[in-house]
């Protein structure tokens, strides 16, 4: 994936979709894209390999988005329902949630 291509495609999708997501869900998606980008590893050829799945602790999302766990879960459901994200549950305070970004760009 390419960070800037994905970000550009996301904003295009936001302007064209008939089922818009909330601004907070959009912020969550952008933050998760940034986190996924931070997990990428460089190859010897200078390309970046993005992880298919990555982990984020619920508490980190609460602090970063300045909201409650319940709100984070609600924003995440919006993204899952629109097909922009898949998620595997975490137990609060014990293990991070497993996220998979659904890329826009090929």
């Amino acid at each position: 994936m390419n960070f800037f291509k994905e970000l550009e495609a996301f904003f295009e999708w936001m302007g064209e979709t008939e089922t818009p997501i909330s601004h907070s869900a959009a912020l969550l998606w952008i933050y998760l894209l940034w986190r996924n980008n931070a997990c990428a590893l460089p190859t010897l050829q200078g390309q970046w390999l993005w992880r298919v799945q990555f982990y984020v602790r619920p508490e980190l999302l609460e602090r970063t988005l300045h909201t409650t766990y319940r709100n984070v879960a609600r924003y995440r459901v919006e993204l899952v329902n629109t097909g922009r994200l898949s998620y595997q549950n975490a137990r609060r305070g014990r293990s991070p949630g497993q996220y998979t970004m659904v890329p826009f760009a090929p």
Side-chain angles (χ1 to χ4, degrees):
M1 286 197 302
N2 178 294
F3 181 83
F4 292 107
K5 285 182 182 179
E6 288 299 315
L7 193 58
E8 180 181 19
F10 177 73
F11 283 112
E12 286 177 17
W13 174 78
M14 288 283 290
E16 296 170 359
T17 186
E18 294 182 17
T19 55
I21 59 174
S22 68
H23 294 258
S24 297
L27 181 60
L28 174 60
W29 187 90
I30 292 166
Y31 176 75
L32 291 172
L33 180 70
W34 176 80
R35 285 289 301 219
N36 195 1
N37 182 58
C39 295
L41 300 170
T43 66
L44 294 175
Q45 294 77 27
Q47 295 178 327
W48 287 91
L49 297 176
W50 285 48
R51 293 184 182 269
V52 173
Q53 298 164 334
F54 61 104
Y55 301 90
V56 182
R57 286 199 168 277
E59 298 82 8
L60 180 60
L61 293 174
E62 291 173 50
R63 279 195 317 267
T64 302
L65 300 176
H66 301 283
T67 192
T68 63
Y69 180 80
R70 184 176 178 166
N71 285 337
V72 169
R74 190 169 42 122
Y75 308 148
R76 186 173 48 235
V77 166
E78 284 184 62
L79 294 170
V80 168
N81 288 343
T82 58
R84 301 301 356 131
L85 180 73
S86 66
Y87 174 74
Q88 188 173 12
N89 279 337
R91 291 188 311 201
R92 187 172 180 192
R94 296 184 187 260
S95 64
Q98 181 180 343
Y99 291 86
T100 304
M101 303 293 294
V102 177
F104 285 97

